[in-house]
Amino acid sequence: MADRSAKARWTSPLRRRRGPGWAEQEPTWRAARPALIADALKRASARPSGNWFVAGASRDVRPGGPCGRTVGGVEVVLWRSESGELRGGSGVCPHLGAPLRDSRVVCGTLVCHWHGLALDGAPFAGWQPYPVHDDGVLVWVRLDAVGGEEPTELPVIPERPAAGSGVDAVYSGVGRCEPQDVVANRLDPWHGSWFHPYSFVDLTVAREPRGEEDDAFAVDVSFRVAGRLVVPVRAEFTAPEPRTVVMRIVDGEGATSVVETHATPLTAEGDAQPRTAVIEAVVATSDRRGFALARAAAPVLRPLMRHTAGRLWRDDLAYAERRWALRSTGRFPG
Ligand code: FES
Ligand SMILES: [Fe+2]
């Protein structure tokens, strides 16, 4: 019975749109001032990260085996102890240099496959652990030599929907660029409905960042679900640390859902051919009553989840790579 009354209250989040076509929409290039984006990037870059880097999704580090990553040119290995706790450290075996990403985990101990050196996560035979953190969605590693900042005990983790109330998904991609190129792409919300018309329409920037005190973009945008069917929302973009941009739905369907874009350098700073991983976590939620989250929220939030999928990231990485290509050859117009 309760279910039926809940159904009666249910209204579709979908709207039928009758807006202008792609070529008729208002150009955004005058509003998207290069200096404004550059200033927002500069402020983001100056925030402390505590030398923490996102290494991947929590579920990438399975109990059965190690997970190898290269961050800032440093080989890192991650694994789980018998109780499931995250362990991590140098990915180079201290004996003769075997790649520990190819070793085995036996009862929570990492065992090198070349000569059997065993690591339980504590310093041993010249091997050093790195501080690691599992926030439930992402795993982080602290590399003080790479970050060069004052280390902090924990990474800067964006506020997310309460644990268990959201559906999360993590996507990764790699681009030939530096982290700042990925962040700069995210700090240009104006490109949304021009560059990604298949996903976004009717995008307007309702509020620009006003400096350190109020450093957020507010964006009104409709996610295109299919054809003319759209889901209008207001989203806020912030950069809590130098390599993270968070998009939070603040009004409309899925309010409080977040898309966190993390840019992790794979190559060392100053590398002539830098590569950066984009690790994007979507934590989507819905307060729709009377429906099981998985059933109700997933289809409704699919446009948001899709924000991260295939085509969007191909285009955004092309933007970031192009920015790097111009910057590195002195041709950047901004
Ligand atoms: S190289 Fe790892 S034990 Fe020899
Ligand atoms: Fe984009």
Side-chain angles (χ1 to χ4, degrees), residues 197-258:
Y198 46 85
S199 281
F200 304 117
V201 282
D202 304 330
L203 185 147
T204 52
V205 175
R207 201 179 75 237
E208 294 175 357
R210 300 190 190 109
E212 197 58 56
E213 294 311 304
D214 181 13
D215 212 355
F217 288 93
V219 175
D220 291 319
V221 63
S222 288
F223 294 111
R224 194 194 288 277
V225 178
R228 289 182 174 279
L229 295 179
V230 298
V231 180
V233 298
R234 170 164 285 198
E236 204 178 72
F237 288 75
T238 52
E241 57 106 283
R243 292 175 290 274
T244 301
V245 178
V246 180
M247 182 191 84
R248 176 173 287 106
I249 307 288
V250 289
D251 202 11
E253 183 61 29
T256 75
S257 299
V258 293

Side-chain angles (χ1 to χ4, degrees), residues 182 186 243-246 259-263 278-281 313:
V182 172
R186 274 292 182 270
R243 292 175 290 274
T244 301
V245 178
V246 180
V259 176
E260 296 173 21
T261 307
H262 300 274
V278 176
I279 301 165
E280 194 163 77
W313 256 117

Side-chain angles (χ1 to χ4, degrees), residues 288-299:
R288 292 179 162 271
R289 297 169 64 185
F291 285 80
L293 186 70
R295 207 154 43 98

Side-chain angles (χ1 to χ4, degrees), residues 25-296:
Q25 64 182 318
E26 195 60 40
T28 51
W29 71 270
R30 281 192 187 83
R33 280 134 25 235
L36 187 145
I37 298 167
D39 285 350
L41 177 65
K42 204 180 289 175
R43 289 192 299 274
S45 309
R47 291 187 185 122
S49 74
N51 302 328
W52 288 95
F53 297 85
V54 170
S58 293
R59 59 175 73 92
D60 288 348
V61 193
R62 298 190 188 90
C67 168
R69 292 283 187 266
T70 302
V71 177
V74 174
E75 270 186 72
V76 174
V77 66
L78 300 163
W79 77 97
R80 293 201 184 272
S81 72
E82 236 180 341
S83 59
E85 257 178 80
L86 188 66
R87 301 267 184 261
S90 167
V92 182
C93 181
H95 175 223
L96 284 171
L100 291 173
R101 67 177 69 196
D102 297 331
S103 59
R104 286 208 214 167
V105 175
V106 181
C107 302
T109 298
L110 189 71
V111 181
C112 179
H113 61 307
W114 280 14
H115 313 91
L117 183 139
L119 298 165
D120 64 4
F124 183 70
W127 182 86
Q128 279 302 322
Y130 297 132
V132 287
H133 182 75
D134 184 350
D135 69 23
V137 177
L138 299 170
V139 289
W140 302 71
V141 59
R142 199 182 86 196
L143 297 170
D144 295 338
V146 176
E149 293 176 28
E150 192 65 34
T152 54
E153 202 184 318
L154 288 172
V156 181
I157 300 164
E159 194 180 323
R160 297 176 181 151
S165 75
V167 197
D168 70 89
V170 178
Y171 299 86
S172 312
V174 175
R176 292 179 303 271
C177 61
E178 290 181 342
Q180 64 145 296
D181 300 302
V182 172
V183 173
N185 166 265
R186 274 292 182 270
L187 295 177
D188 162 17
W190 291 276
H191 75 263
S193 52
W194 280 102
F195 196 37
H196 311 294
Y198 46 85
S199 281
F200 304 117
V201 282
D202 304 330
L203 185 147
T204 52
V205 175
R207 201 179 75 237
E208 294 175 357
R210 300 190 190 109
E212 197 58 56
E213 294 311 304
D214 181 13
D215 212 355
F217 288 93
V219 175
D220 291 319
V221 63
S222 288
F223 294 111
R224 194 194 288 277
V225 178
R228 289 182 174 279
L229 295 179
V230 298
V231 180
V233 298
R234 170 164 285 198
E236 204 178 72
F237 288 75
T238 52
E241 57 106 283
R243 292 175 290 274
T244 301
V245 178
V246 180
M247 182 191 84
R248 176 173 287 106
I249 307 288
V250 289
D251 202 11
E253 183 61 29
T256 75
S257 299
V258 293
V259 176
E260 296 173 21
T261 307
H262 300 274
T264 299
L266 303 180
T267 41
E269 196 172 352
D271 194 296
Q273 293 185 313
R275 292 168 76 242
T276 293
V278 176
I279 301 165
E280 194 163 77
V282 182
V283 187
T285 188
S286 170
D287 59 2
R288 292 179 162 271
R289 297 169 64 185
F291 285 80
L293 186 70
R295 207 154 43 98

